[in-house]
C-alpha cells in the first residue's frame, strides 16, 4: 500500500477501525522497482514513453531557491529565496497536494517525501528538484527584478503559502498560487494582550523586530537558524496552532532554570500585521546548539565505535534529573520526550527542548496516555461516522470536561496547556507516563539507535535502527532490567502487524508481492479494533476504581523518577 495522507486514517491511526473499505481497491501490490508500477501496461501510460517522464531534474546553473526540508507528510516544503541579501523568516513554504495521479506520484517520488524530512536526503528526491525548477520559472516570469520580488516577499502576511496547482511533469505548466495567511495574523496576539493574560509583572525577554532576523536555514516546520547582528540563534515560530507557541513561551519564561533544560527565550520577535496597527508576537529566539540532536548523534557515534558507556550514563542521569526538576520545582509535565527533542551542548551535555506540550506520536507514549489519545482521535476525526465519534466525545467529556474549549484555535491561557490525555491524568499518573517514555529513550541511548522503531511510518532517519524496542543487543543487563521496569504495561505496536518497507506499507505476515492494499487496511482495522477495546476496558476500570477511591495512580507499578535516578547513579558508580 502506498504511503499517502490517506494511509494515516486508513491504517496508521486508530481511526482505521472505523473506516469503510473502498470498493475496487483490491489488487496485487507489485514491488516498488517494477517499471510500470500501478500504471498499466499500455504505451500511453508506460514510463518508457518519453512524454511520461520528467525532461530534466538538473538544478539551474544559478538556482534562485533552495529546499531545506519537508513536513506535512510530504505536502509541505520549506523553501528559501537565495537571491535576497537578507532573508526574513517569512515561512512562505511550498504546498503540494497529496492527491496526484499515479504517474506523477511515481515520477516525483512523493511516497519517499512522505517520510523524508531532512535536507540532505530530501534534496536528492525528484520533488525537491522539481520545486526549485518551478520556482525559478515563476520568479523570473512574474517579477521584473529582485526589488519587486523583495517588496512582494516582505509584504505578505507571515506564514503565507506558495501552492502548486495543476501539478505536471512539465514545470512550465505548473501554476504557483499565493495563499495569503490573513487567518494566522488574526490569531497572533500583541504583547499587550499576553501581558494582560499573564500579568503585568510577567518576565518578558527583550523585544526585537521581525526584520532584524536573517534566515540561514530552515531546520524544522517551526524552527529556523537565523542571524542577528552576526550571531546565530534559533528562531521558534508556528505557522499554524499559534496557541502552542504562546503556551511554550509562557512555560519557558516561568519554569525554574536547570542546566539540562533550554534557557528562557533570549528575544521576543514581533511583526507589524498587514491590517490595522497590531504588532503581533510571531515567535522567540533561543540558543543554537550546533552539535545536533541525540537522534542523529547516537547512531553516528556507534557507527564509529565512539559511543562511550560514560557518556551514555551521563546523558541518562542528566535527562532524569531534568525531568525530576520539572516535576518538583516547576510543577509541570513533559509529554514530548523523544530523541528529536534532546540536543547536545558544546560540552556534550544534554539540553531538553520543545515545551509546546503537544505530546509524542500516536503509539510512542505510555499505554495509559495512548488509551485517552485513541479516544481523542476518534472523537474528533471528521471521517469517522457521527454515531461513533459522538460515543467517544462523551467519553472525552468525562475525562476532560472542557475539551471543546481547549480544542479551539484561539489562545486562552489554560494553566496546563492543551494536551488532553495528559490533562486527564493526575500528577502521579503523569510521572509514571514520563518514566515510560524515559525507559524508551534509555533503550535508544544504550542501544545507540535513532529511535525505538526500525522503520517508523512517520519519518525515516539517515541512520535507521537495526532493531526494534524492546529487543536488546548492546544494553548492559542491569540497564535492561531498569528499562523493563520503566516500560511496564507496554503493548504491541502496529509494527508487529504492518511495517514501512522503503516507501510502502506492507504486512509482516506475507511477501510484499503477494498482498493487497485492502488486506493491509483490513489488518490495520483488526489491530486497532482490539487496541481500542483494551483502551476502553482500561479507562472503564480506572473510572470505576477512582469513584470508589481504590485506584492506584501508578497502575503498572513503574519506578518513580527518583528511583530511576538512584539506579542509574548506582550503576555509574559501579562502572567507574
Amino acid at each position: 500500500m502506498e504511503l499517502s495522507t490517506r494511509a494515516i486514517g486508513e491504517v496508521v491511526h486508530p481511526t482505521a477501525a472505523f473506516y469503510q473499505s473502498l470498493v475496487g481497491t483490491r489488487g496485487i501490490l507489485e514491488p516498488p522497482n517494477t517499471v510500470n508500477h500501478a500504471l498499466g501496461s499500455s504505451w500511453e501510460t508506460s514510463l518508457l514513453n518519453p512524454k511520461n517522464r520528467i525532461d530534466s531534474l538538473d538544478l539551474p546553473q544559478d538556482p534562485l531557491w533552495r529546499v531545506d526540508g519537508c513536513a506535512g507528510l510530504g505536502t509541505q516544503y520549506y523553501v528559501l529565496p537565495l537571491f535576497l541579501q537578507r532573508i526574513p523568516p517569512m515561512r512562505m513554504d511550498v504546498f503540494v497536494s497529496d492527491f496526484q495521479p499515479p504517474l506523477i506520484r511515481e515520477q516525483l517520488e512523493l511516497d519517499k517525501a512522505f517520510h523524508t524530512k531532512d535536507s540532505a536526503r530530501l534534496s536528492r528526491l525528484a520533488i525537491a528538484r522539481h520545486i526549485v525548477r518551478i520556482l525559478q520559472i515563476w520568479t523570473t516570469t512574474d517579477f521584473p527584478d529582485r526589488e519587486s520580488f523583495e517588496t512582494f516577499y516582505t509584504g505578505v502576511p507571515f506564514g503565507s503559502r506558495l501552492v502548486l496547482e495543476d501539478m505536471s511533469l512539465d514545470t512550465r505548466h505548473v501554476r504557483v498560487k499565493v495563499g495569503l495567511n490573513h487567518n494566522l495574523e488574526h490569531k497572533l496576539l500583541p504583547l499587550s494582550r499576553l501581558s494582560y493574560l499573564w500579568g503585568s509583572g510577567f518576565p518578558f525577554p527583550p523585544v526585537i523586530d521581525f526584520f532584524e532576523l536573517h534566515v540561514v536555514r530552515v531546520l524544522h516546520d517551526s524552527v529556523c537558524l537565523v542571524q542577528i547582528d552576526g550571531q546565530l540563534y534559533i528562531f521558534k515560530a508556528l505557522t499554524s496552532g499559534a496557541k502552542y507557541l504562546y503556551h511554550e513561551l509562557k512555560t519557558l519564561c516561568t519554569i525554574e532554570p536547570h542546566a539540562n533544560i533550554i534557557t528562557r527565550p533570549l528575544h521576543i520577535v514581533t511583526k507589524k500585521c498587514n491590517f490595522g496597527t497590531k504588532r503581533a508576537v510571531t515567535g522567540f529566539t533561543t540558543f543554537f546548539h550546533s552539535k545536533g540532536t541525540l537522534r542523529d548523534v547516537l547512531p553516528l557515534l556507534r557507527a564509529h565505535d565512539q559511543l562511550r558507556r560514560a557518556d551514555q550514563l551521563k546523558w541518562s542521569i542528566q535527562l532524569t534529573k531534568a525531568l525530576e526538576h520539572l516535576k518538583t520545582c516547576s510543577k509541570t509535565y513533559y509529554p514530548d520526550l523523544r530523541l528529536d527533542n534532546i540536543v547536545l551542548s558544546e560540552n556534550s551535555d544534554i539540553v531538553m527542548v520543545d515545551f509546546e506540550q503537544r505530546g509524542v506520536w500516536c503509539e510512542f507514549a505510555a499505554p495509559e496516555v495512548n488509551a485517552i489519545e485513541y479516544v481523542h482521535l476518534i472523537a474528533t476525526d471528521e471521517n469517522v461516522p457521527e454515531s461513533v465519534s459522538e460515543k467517544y466525545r462523551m467519553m472525552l467529556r468525562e475525562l476532560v470536561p472542557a475539551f471543546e474549549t481547549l480544542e479551539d484555535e484561539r489562545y486562552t491561557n489554560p494553566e496546563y496547556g492543551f494536551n488532553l490525555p495528559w490533562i486527564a491524568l493526575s500528577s502521579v499518573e503523569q510521572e509514571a507516563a514520563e518514566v515510560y517514555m524515559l525507559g524508551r529513550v534509555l533503550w535508544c541511548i544504550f542501544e545507540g539507535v535513532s529511535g525505538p522503531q526500525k522503520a517508523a511510518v512517520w519519518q525515516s532517519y539517515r541512520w535507521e535502527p537495526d532493531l526494534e524496542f524492546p529487543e536488546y543487543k548492546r544494553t548492559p543487563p542491569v540497564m535492561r532490567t531498569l528499562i523493563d521496569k520503566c516500560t511496564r504495561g507496554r503493548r504491541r505496536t502496529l509494527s508487529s502487524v504492518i511495517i514501512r518497507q522503503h516507501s510502502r506499507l506492507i504486512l509482516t505476515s506475507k511477501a510484499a508481492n503477494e498482498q493487497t492494499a485492502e488486506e493491509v487496511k483490513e489488518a490495520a482495522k483488526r489491530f486497532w479494533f482490539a487496541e481500542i477495546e483494551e483502551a476502553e476496558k482500561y479507562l472503564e476500570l480506572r473510572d470505576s476504581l477512582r469513584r470508589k477511591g481504590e485506584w492506584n495512580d501508578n497502575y503498572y507499578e513503574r519506578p518513580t523518577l527518583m528511583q530511576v535516578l538512584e539506579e542509574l547513579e548506582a550503576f555509574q558508580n559501579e562502572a567507574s
Side-chain angles (χ1 to χ4, degrees):
M1 179 178 179
E2 71 175 18
L3 272 177
S4 67
T5 52
R6 293 186 296 275
I8 301 302
E10 294 176 340
V11 175
V12 180
H13 270 180
T15 50
F18 303 103
Y19 268 66
Q20 300 297 315
S21 299
L22 298 176
V23 178
T25 56
R26 191 173 300 273
I28 295 295
L29 292 182
E30 296 186 71
N33 314 349
T34 304
V35 172
N36 283 328
H37 168 57
L39 296 176
S41 56
S42 71
W43 176 249
E44 188 63 25
T45 58
S46 171
L47 291 181
L48 297 176
N49 188 335
K51 80 175 183 64
N52 294 329
R53 298 199 301 269
I54 304 173
D55 60 343
S56 174
L57 286 173
D58 292 338
L59 294 178
Q61 187 172 357
D62 294 306
L64 300 178
W65 294 80
R66 186 181 73 213
V67 177
D68 273 356
C70 175
L73 306 177
T75 62
Q76 178 182 355
Y77 299 84
Y78 326 139
V79 296
L80 286 179
L82 303 177
F83 54 98
L84 298 184
Q85 288 185 332
R86 290 187 60 82
I87 308 173
M90 299 303 301
R91 288 317 308 266
M92 184 182 282
D93 296 344
V94 165
F95 285 77
V96 177
S97 171
D98 188 48
F99 297 93
Q100 302 293 346
L103 177 68
I104 288 179
R105 290 194 65 83
E106 177 90 5
Q107 289 282 276
L108 296 184
E109 301 179 294
L110 294 181
D111 292 351
K112 292 180 182 178
F114 180 98
H115 57 82
T116 305
K117 294 177 168 47
D118 60 280
S119 60
R121 292 181 302 140
L122 185 70
S123 63
R124 296 194 289 266
L125 296 187
I127 180 60
R129 291 171 169 265
H130 204 53
I131 287 172
V132 171
R133 290 167 59 85
I134 291 168
L135 294 182
Q136 188 93 0
I137 294 173
W138 172 69
T139 308
T140 54
T141 302
D142 285 28
F143 300 93
D145 49 40
R146 190 186 73 187
E147 288 72 24
S148 60
F149 176 85
E150 188 168 11
T151 301
F152 155 77
Y153 190 72
T154 57
V156 298
F158 172 69
S160 292
R161 302 179 170 192
L162 298 176
V163 183
L164 302 190
E165 296 188 338
D166 302 331
M167 181 56 78
S168 168
L169 299 180
D170 189 334
T171 52
R172 296 167 298 179
H173 296 164
V174 181
R175 291 195 304 125
V176 179
K177 180 180 178 181
V178 179
L180 301 177
N181 201 344
H182 295 300
N183 185 48
L184 174 62
E185 279 202 346
H186 178 70
K187 292 184 174 64
L188 292 175
L189 299 179
L191 200 61
S192 58
R193 178 61 180 167
L194 294 178
S195 181
Y196 171 80
L197 291 171
W198 298 344
S200 57
F202 190 83
F204 286 106
V207 176
I208 62 171
D209 184 74
F210 182 86
F211 290 101
E212 292 183 47
L213 281 62
H214 165 67
V215 180
V216 176
R217 183 170 291 277
V218 183
L219 303 177
H220 189 266
D221 63 350
S222 62
V223 175
C224 294
L225 178 63
V226 299
Q227 272 189 349
I228 303 173
D229 295 331
Q231 296 292 315
L232 290 175
Y233 298 89
I234 289 295
F235 174 56
K236 177 72 179 280
L238 297 174
T239 55
S240 63
K243 64 182 184 181
Y244 298 105
L245 174 78
Y246 297 136
H247 177 66
E248 180 175 24
L249 176 60
K250 179 186 176 185
T251 300
L252 290 177
C253 286
T254 53
I255 58 175
E256 291 293 321
H258 188 276
N260 303 114
I261 296 173
I262 193 73
T263 59
R264 71 191 302 269
L266 301 172
H267 311 92
I268 283 181
V269 180
T270 63
K271 179 181 182 295
K272 187 178 183 304
C273 295
N274 283 20
F275 294 103
T277 59
K278 181 171 74 172
R279 178 169 284 278
V281 175
T282 56
F284 59 85
T285 69
T286 187
F287 284 113
F288 168 53
H289 295 286
S290 60
K291 288 194 172 183
T293 68
L294 277 188
R295 183 197 72 194
D296 294 331
V297 169
L298 285 170
L300 192 60
L301 289 176
R302 181 172 62 81
H304 292 86
D305 200 25
Q306 296 175 350
L307 185 57
R308 301 183 306 141
R309 181 75 71 230
D311 288 331
Q312 292 172 315
L313 284 165
K314 180 183 76 167
W315 296 333
S316 300
I317 289 170
Q318 289 176 341
L319 181 58
T320 308
K321 283 183 175 179
L323 290 168
E324 173 66 18
H325 172 84
L326 288 171
K327 180 179 74 73
T328 57
C329 296
S330 298
K331 309 300 181 187
T332 190
Y333 60 94
Y334 189 77
D336 304 289
L337 188 56
R338 61 178 191 265
L339 297 180
D340 310 60
N341 291 333
I342 304 170
V343 299
L344 285 185
S345 70
E346 291 305 306
N347 296 324
S348 291
D349 295 317
I350 70 137
V351 179
M352 293 172 61
V353 299
D354 193 349
F355 282 76
E356 295 177 25
Q357 293 187 322
R358 292 206 212 197
V360 294
W361 295 323
C362 178
E363 276 199 299
F364 273 55
E368 60 270 32
V369 174
N370 285 335
I372 303 173
E373 180 62 10
Y374 297 164
V375 171
H376 174 219
L377 289 170
I378 298 166
T380 56
D381 193 305
E382 61 184 14
N383 293 312
V384 170
E386 177 61 26
S387 59
V388 174
S389 59
E390 178 54 31
K391 168 192 169 182
Y392 289 94
R393 280 197 294 271
M394 290 176 62
M395 292 174 62
L396 200 52
R397 287 189 194 102
E398 289 291 321
L399 293 161
V400 187
F403 96 85
E404 276 111 342
T405 303
L406 293 172
E407 290 283 280
D408 193 285
E409 290 185 6
R410 293 171 298 175
Y411 178 71
T412 53
N413 191 31
E415 184 176 2
Y416 302 109
F418 301 92
N419 191 311
L420 300 183
W422 285 76
I423 291 171
L425 301 179
S426 70
S427 60
V428 173
E429 288 175 315
Q430 288 174 349
E431 181 179 4
E434 287 177 345
V435 167
Y436 180 91
M437 291 191 295
L438 175 60
R440 285 167 64 98
V441 170
L442 293 180
W443 178 85
C444 294
I445 289 174
F446 284 101
E447 291 296 334
V449 295
S450 54
Q453 288 185 328
K454 280 185 181 178
V457 171
W458 308 96
Q459 180 173 356
S460 59
Y461 305 110
R462 274 181 267 185
W463 300 281
E464 293 275 40
D466 61 334
L467 72 168
E468 183 145 339
F469 177 81
E471 300 173 64
Y472 291 106
K473 277 187 181 179
R474 310 170 189 92
T475 304
V478 175
M479 290 296 97
R480 296 184 187 193
T481 301
L482 176 60
I483 291 167
D484 286 342
K485 287 192 291 187
C486 289
T487 56
R488 283 171 181 159
R490 64 187 181 230
R491 295 187 56 77
R492 69 176 188 145
T493 60
L494 182 64
S495 59
S496 63
V497 180
I498 297 167
I499 61 171
R500 174 177 59 79
Q501 186 181 81
H502 305 298
S503 299
R504 303 181 69 74
L505 294 177
I506 66 167
L507 297 171
T508 59
S509 58
K510 298 176 71 173
N513 62 346
E514 295 177 357
Q515 54 185 274
T516 66
E518 191 66 22
E519 287 175 321
V520 173
K521 287 187 277 188
E522 285 300 317
K525 190 171 189 174
R526 290 192 299 270
F527 171 86
W528 283 118
F529 192 84
E531 286 301 297
I532 292 165
E533 193 173 46
E534 286 300 314
E536 289 189 45
K537 287 179 183 177
Y538 169 82
L539 293 174
E540 287 170 8
L541 176 64
R542 178 180 182 267
D543 181 60
S544 173
L545 293 181
R546 278 167 63 93
R547 291 178 187 275
K548 297 175 185 176
E550 299 173 1
W551 175 249
N552 174 12
D553 280 352
N554 189 2
Y555 178 74
Y556 294 106
E557 300 290 346
R558 298 181 192 124
T560 64
L561 287 168
M562 189 56 70
Q563 289 170 335
V564 173
L565 180 59
E566 289 170 356
E567 292 201 35
L568 286 168
E569 289 180 332
F571 183 56
Q572 184 185 50
N573 292 333
E574 182 183 314
S576 61

